[in-house]
Amino acid sequence: MNETIRTLLNHRSIRSFTDERIPQERVDLLISAAQHAATSNFFQQYSIIDVTDPEKKKTLAKIGNQYYIAEADRLFVLVIDMHRNAKIAEAKEQPTDVLSSTDFFFRAFSDTVIAAQNIVAAAESLGLGTVYLGSILNDPQAVIDLLKLPKFTFPAFGIAVGYPNQSPQLKPRLPKEAVYFENEYRSAEQSLETLKNYDHDVNQYYDLRDANRRVDTFTNQIAKAVSGKQSEAKKKMLETLRSQGLVQY
Amino acid sequence: MNETIRTLLNHRSIRSFTDERIPQERVDLLISAAQHAATSNFFQQYSIIDVTDPEKKKTLAKIGNQYYIAEADRLFVLVIDMHRNAKIAEAKEQPTDVLSSTDFFFRAFSDTVIAAQNIVAAAESLGLGTVYLGSILNDPQAVIDLLKLPKFTFPAFGIAVGYPNQSPQLKPRLPKEAVYFENEYRSAEQSLETLKNYDHDVNQYYDLRDANRRVDTFTNQIAKAVSGKQSEAKKKMLETLRSQGLVQY
């Protein structure tokens, strides 16, 4: 096993950070790692917004309902971005209808997330802690307004990066058989029966992590989450996507 | 700079592979790296299909219109997967409507791509070559049928992995200023004017790569791609997504 794989296998989300600042040349390395990732057809359809304004960080922390968002030294918002290519096409008097398609949305979404994971892997290899912040999508329109995201762009998620002030245990993952198949999808291997041992492992993980808090199983967590209530902003997410010019067909 | 960052900065897509097989324990490492990536709310909403059947590989190569798809030792199809969680919720008699939302689709899509990029980074750290295959989405329904993908799943893309039989040059990326902003999106920094030098670099890259083939600029490529014709299957992609139970609202 090499250093890269060791880094990837050691991933933990970090939600508490020290006050130590990340040197600018390290931030530059993270962005460079993102930029060197693969992109669909070399279209490079993503952007990265480095939110350094403390007020904006606080607003994002409020949207995400997670105070630690504002405490990390760096807060990146990863943006699905076809605006740049729309401008290029318009300047050359070409139509841009295709950027509104689900096809192009898939490409840009993939580009964005691939670049994001390079930031996370690079950061962790440098001893930094990271956490993905899907929670900023609690209110996508508020993020769009805050960061002035134009037509053909949409926030995918945030990533907080800083020096870790905690050292959480590795969370047990689903058994390989549940997520990895040969030649075709096999639904049966995802039955509750096969997840029993895994439920036990997850339960033990939570028990060890914090004796005073929830002790839950994976399948109970999923059942609860799936039956939970969505906010109005989340129910409107497709509408918001479409008002940005995306996923029209 | 450490080994991980060096690996990430050195990424090239590889489209020609030797006959050498990848030892199974290395494949296992790639899957393990994928499984250890972050997932939204720990829902782990992706699956990986390892396509080893030569006939299926050929079919995917035909769908993608790229012969080398069938020539790589390994061909993974990354699947956006909420089927597993639907089954868990159903077994506990919970409703699953929320899995049809754009909100949950975003989470599962992100999980899938994050896991995918760990496969790519891990593979490249082991000296393997990789290429993302968005081309399998030339006909999503054909992939769904071929791999028997059930309700609440959708193919994101393929990844071909093998020992490289070529050593392409590093492709120049957009200037940092075009993709990286502080505190808000800045459209002006993406003007054609600022991309002039980049166009020159890309042009030179193609010229060096193959004196007999296209010599193009980035902005010309984008303008051409955006004005190109979409296949009927691509025009129907949202419909296909929805027939899988996804993105209903």
Side-chain angles (χ1 to χ4, degrees):
Chain A
M1 196 181 308
N2 58 40
E3 182 206 292
T4 304
I5 292 178
R6 205 161 18 240
T7 298
L8 300 175
L9 295 181
N10 261 314
H11 166 75
R12 285 113 162 120
S13 294
I14 297 297
R15 295 180 177 84
S16 174
F17 303 94
T18 72
D19 289 338
E20 194 178 344
R21 303 294 309 272
I22 307 171
Q24 187 56 42
E25 64 267 24
R26 294 208 151 189
V27 175
D28 292 343
L29 262 184
L30 304 185
I31 303 306
S32 189
Q35 287 201 264
H36 281 81
T39 69
S40 176
N41 286 75
F42 195 47
F43 289 170
Q44 307 174 70
Q45 298 190 120
Y46 66 91
S47 285
I48 301 164
I49 302 192
D50 189 349
V51 183
T52 56
D53 176 346
E55 286 309 311
K56 288 199 174 181
K57 283 171 116 171
K58 270 187 220 157
T59 304
L60 288 168
K62 204 180 276 179
I63 291 169
N65 198 24
Q66 291 165 325
Y67 68 91
Y68 54 82
I69 293 178
E71 292 181 351
D73 183 42
R74 290 290 171 151
L75 172 55
F76 301 114
V77 174
L78 277 287
V79 179
I80 300 163
D81 185 0
M82 290 188 278
H83 176 80
R84 181 168 46 244
N85 288 350
K87 283 193 65 172
I88 291 170
E90 279 162 13
K92 291 178 189 276
E93 292 170 2
Q94 298 298 324
T96 58
D97 319 322
V98 82
L99 300 177
S100 297
S101 67
T102 300
D103 167 23
F104 266 69
F105 181 73
F106 257 63
R107 300 171 190 227
F109 200 144
S110 298
D111 287 2
T112 308
V113 184
I114 290 171
Q117 180 57 9
N118 266 17
I119 293 181
V120 166
E124 293 181 349
S125 79
L126 293 167
L128 293 161
T130 68
V131 60
Y132 277 98
L133 305 164
S135 60
I136 65 165
L137 293 181
N138 285 346
D139 192 347
Q141 189 60 54
V143 178
I144 289 165
D145 296 341
L146 184 73
L147 306 179
K148 301 199 167 67
L149 301 184
K151 193 180 174 191
F152 294 131
T153 66
F154 202 83
F157 42 67
I159 302 176
V161 187
Y163 287 94
N165 196 24
Q166 60 178 185
S167 155
Q169 270 211 301
L170 196 63
K171 221 163 171 172
R173 262 57 178 180
L174 279 166
K176 186 183 170 195
E177 311 79 71
V179 303
Y180 174 77
F181 311 117
E182 211 173 326
N183 291 317
E184 63 181 51
Y185 195 94
R186 281 193 306 281
S187 186
E189 266 142 76
Q190 306 190 331
S191 70
L192 258 62
E193 198 51 44
T194 64
L195 294 178
K196 258 192 184 151
N197 286 336
Y198 182 58
D199 266 345
H200 175 78
D201 292 346
V202 170
N203 183 286
Q204 198 165 49
Y205 162 83
Y206 283 121
D207 199 23
L208 284 170
R209 188 172 80 167
D210 186 349
N212 301 314
R213 266 185 63 199
R214 65 171 172 183
V215 175
D216 213 342
T217 65
F218 179 72
T219 59
N220 278 340
Q221 283 189 313
I222 294 298
K224 255 184 252 169
V226 167
S227 58
K229 264 207 155 178
Q230 274 184 310
S231 70
E232 287 309 306
K234 290 223 163 190
K235 282 187 200 157
K236 276 190 1 190
M237 203 159 145
L238 183 56
E239 221 173 286
T240 313
L241 255 182
R242 287 182 154 170
S243 72
Q244 290 293 99
L246 303 167
V247 192
Q248 307 292 321
Y249 68 96
Chain B
M1 196 181 309
N2 59 40
E3 181 205 292
T4 304
I5 293 178
R6 204 159 20 236
T7 298
L8 299 176
L9 294 182
N10 261 313
H11 165 75
R12 283 112 162 121
S13 295
I14 296 296
R15 295 180 177 84
S16 174
F17 302 94
T18 71
D19 289 339
E20 193 179 344
R21 303 293 309 272
I22 307 171
Q24 187 57 42
E25 64 268 25
R26 293 208 152 188
V27 175
D28 292 343
L29 263 184
L30 304 185
I31 303 305
S32 188
Q35 287 201 264
H36 282 82
T39 69
S40 176
N41 285 77
F42 195 47
F43 290 170
Q44 306 174 74
Q45 297 189 122
Y46 66 92
S47 286
I48 301 164
I49 302 193
D50 190 349
V51 183
T52 56
D53 176 346
E55 285 309 311
K56 289 199 173 180
K57 283 172 116 170
K58 269 187 221 159
T59 304
L60 288 168
K62 204 179 277 179
I63 292 169
N65 198 24
Q66 291 164 325
Y67 68 92
Y68 54 82
I69 293 179
E71 290 181 353
D73 183 42
R74 290 291 171 151
L75 172 55
F76 301 114
V77 174
L78 277 288
V79 179
I80 300 163
D81 185 0
M82 292 188 277
H83 176 80
R84 181 168 47 244
N85 289 348
K87 284 193 66 173
I88 290 170
E90 279 161 12
K92 292 178 189 275
E93 291 170 3
Q94 298 297 323
T96 58
D97 318 321
V98 83
L99 300 178
S100 298
S101 68
T102 300
D103 167 23
F104 266 69
F105 181 71
F106 258 63
R107 300 173 190 225
F109 200 148
S110 298
D111 287 3
T112 308
V113 185
I114 290 170
Q117 181 56 10
N118 267 17
I119 292 181
V120 166
E124 292 181 349
S125 79
L126 293 167
L128 293 161
T130 68
V131 60
Y132 277 98
L133 306 163
S135 60
I136 65 165
L137 293 182
N138 284 345
D139 192 347
Q141 188 61 54
V143 177
I144 290 166
D145 295 341
L146 185 73
L147 306 179
K148 301 199 167 69
L149 301 183
K151 194 180 173 190
F152 294 131
T153 67
F154 202 83
F157 42 66
I159 302 176
V161 187
Y163 286 95
N165 196 25
Q166 60 178 185
S167 153
Q169 270 212 301
L170 197 63
K171 221 164 172 172
R173 262 57 179 180
L174 279 167
K176 185 183 169 195
E177 313 79 71
V179 303
Y180 174 76
F181 311 117
E182 209 172 326
N183 290 317
E184 63 181 50
Y185 195 94
R186 281 193 304 281
S187 185
E189 266 143 76
Q190 306 190 328
S191 71
L192 258 62
E193 199 51 44
T194 64
L195 294 178
K196 257 193 184 149
N197 286 336
Y198 182 59
D199 265 348
H200 175 79
D201 293 347
V202 170
N203 183 286
Q204 199 166 49
Y205 161 83
Y206 284 121
D207 199 23
L208 285 170
R209 189 171 79 168
D210 185 350
N212 301 313
R213 266 185 63 200
R214 65 170 172 186
V215 175
D216 212 343
T217 66
F218 178 73
T219 58
N220 278 340
Q221 284 189 314
I222 294 298
K224 255 184 252 169
V226 166
S227 57
K229 264 208 155 179
Q230 275 185 309
S231 69
E232 287 310 307
K234 290 223 162 188
K235 282 188 199 156
K236 274 188 8 189
M237 203 157 144
L238 183 57
E239 220 174 287
T240 313
L241 255 181
R242 287 182 154 168
S243 71
Q244 289 295 97
L246 302 167
V247 192
Q248 307 293 323
Y249 68 96

